[in-house]
Amino acid sequence: MESIQVKAYAKINLGLNVLGRRQDGYHEVRMLMQTIRLFDKLTVKMTQTAGITLKSNLSYLPCDDNNLIYRAAALFFEETKQRCGIHVTLEKHIPVAAGLAGGSSDAAATLTALNELYHTGLSLEELKQLGIRLGADVPYCLMQGTALSEGIGERLTPLPAPPPAYCLVVKPPVSVSTRYVYEHLNLSDAPHPDIDALLSALNNKNLALIAANLGNTLESVTIPLHPEIAAIKAELLEAGALGALMSGSGPTVFGLFSDRPKAEHAFYRFKVGEFGKQTYLTNFWNK
């Protein structure tokens, strides 16, 4: 095998609770993560010459070591002592700097592809140990599906898949720095979602209860910076969503629908509006 194509799936946070700041500067979190069927495509090809090259369909994305794909490949070759010679073509569809773990998912997909391409036989746990060195979300993006994420994101517990739902994803035309959001987080004034209630709703396959318990501590920082996030949430609820929430550090918002006609009507409503360029109707994805 000289080349391989892989998909890098986006994630949403059904619940994101920040518990406190650790002595190492990271924040302790407790999150309920879910993969959705929105993905980038990566084609990874062996080359005759050593080195890592990267090409993207988006001209503004860096194609050097400022890109997590490049850094994931460099880390893989450093750790496995394999001959370094690949070219990666990235077909980017997940919005950038959106709270959907697009960069982390691309890194995870790169590690997975190289492990297969070079027949190195690294286990999922070994890949996750590499992934945490690239970013807190990378181990989850390697595992995918539904999971409880704790620590800084590296302690993962697989969970049963949620009941089927339509997921309308809307990204306003702004970008958010995750570092800025965490640096300006005041935990005493922030909401703290009930992750245990979410877990109970998930175990009972109750979509209405899942939607009722959606929550994200980081909204307390990002929404005051970008009030359009609150406006999108309100419009999703008005359009019939069971619940709506900002994902990650934002600014992307998702709404959960049990009814397909309502979801499709809301999708077209947003598509013709100011956020139409980055509006997606999708669903949960589990392996």
Side-chain angles (χ1 to χ4, degrees):
M1 188 188 300
E2 294 185 350
S3 68
I4 187 173
Q5 188 174 88
V6 290
K7 293 177 179 177
Y9 288 89
K11 65 84 187 166
I12 56 174
N13 299 91
L14 298 174
L16 194 166
N17 189 16
V18 183
L19 305 177
R21 191 180 182 96
R22 304 177 357 159
Q23 288 187 343
D24 61 9
Y26 288 97
H27 283 78
E28 193 83 13
V29 296
R30 196 160 185 252
M31 306 183 290
L32 190 57
M33 314 276 270
Q34 176 61 49
T35 307
I36 58 173
R37 201 180 294 273
L38 171 63
F39 53 83
D40 298 337
K41 290 182 181 178
L42 285 76
T43 302
V44 184
K45 183 178 181 181
M46 291 180 174
T47 59
Q48 295 295 320
T49 56
I52 303 165
T53 56
L54 171 62
K55 182 180 180 181
S56 170
N57 60 321
L58 299 182
S59 60
Y60 57 83
L61 285 183
C63 290
D64 53 17
D65 60 3
N66 290 306
N67 190 299
L68 275 173
I69 292 174
Y70 189 105
R71 286 161 56 191
L75 178 61
F76 176 87
F77 286 122
E78 177 187 338
E79 292 298 313
T80 62
K81 312 301 181 187
Q82 297 292 317
R83 177 178 175 271
C84 173
I86 62 160
H87 176 72
V88 182
T89 303
L90 170 64
E91 187 181 317
K92 189 74 177 165
H93 299 287
I94 302 172
V96 177
L100 299 173
S104 295
S105 189
D106 289 343
T110 302
L111 292 175
T112 300
L114 291 174
N115 191 38
E116 186 169 342
L117 202 58
Y118 282 86
H119 306 287
T120 41
L122 297 178
S123 67
L124 176 59
E125 288 306 313
E126 288 172 319
L127 290 173
K128 284 159 65 176
Q129 288 303 311
L130 290 180
I132 194 63
R133 293 165 61 181
L134 297 164
D137 280 340
V138 179
Y140 166 75
C141 292
L142 282 157
M143 190 177 82
Q144 304 177 327
T146 313
L148 176 67
S149 174
E150 299 175 285
I152 63 169
E154 84 286 6
R155 298 205 314 268
L156 298 166
T157 304
L159 298 171
Y166 299 95
C167 185
L168 183 54
V169 178
V170 183
K171 181 188 179 290
V174 295
S175 296
V176 173
S177 163
T178 299
R179 174 177 289 183
Y180 177 93
V181 172
Y182 274 100
E183 285 178 349
H184 290 80
L185 180 61
N186 183 346
L187 288 173
S188 62
D189 292 335
H192 292 277
D194 189 341
I195 302 299
D196 288 331
L198 267 173
L199 290 171
S200 176
L202 179 68
N203 287 326
N204 289 313
K205 301 288 185 181
N206 190 322
L207 183 62
L209 272 180
I210 291 172
N213 285 284
L214 298 175
N216 184 345
T217 300
L218 301 182
E219 284 189 339
S220 62
V221 179
T222 310
I223 287 180
L225 288 173
H226 302 290
E228 56 266 47
I229 294 169
I232 293 170
K233 288 180 65 177
E235 189 170 347
L236 283 166
L237 294 172
E238 183 185 324
L242 297 173
L245 189 70
M246 182 185 82
S247 183
S249 56
T252 302
V253 178
F254 67 89
L256 300 182
F257 293 79
S258 59
D259 183 88
R260 180 171 179 169
K262 283 184 180 179
E264 290 179 342
H265 183 268
F267 171 71
Y268 291 116
R269 175 173 170 173
F270 275 93
K271 263 298 185 184
V272 299
E274 61 178 307
F275 308 123
K277 188 175 181 182
Q278 291 192 301
T279 293
Y280 312 87
L281 182 57
T282 183
N283 48 32
F284 299 146
W285 184 86
N286 288 73
K287 290 182 180 178

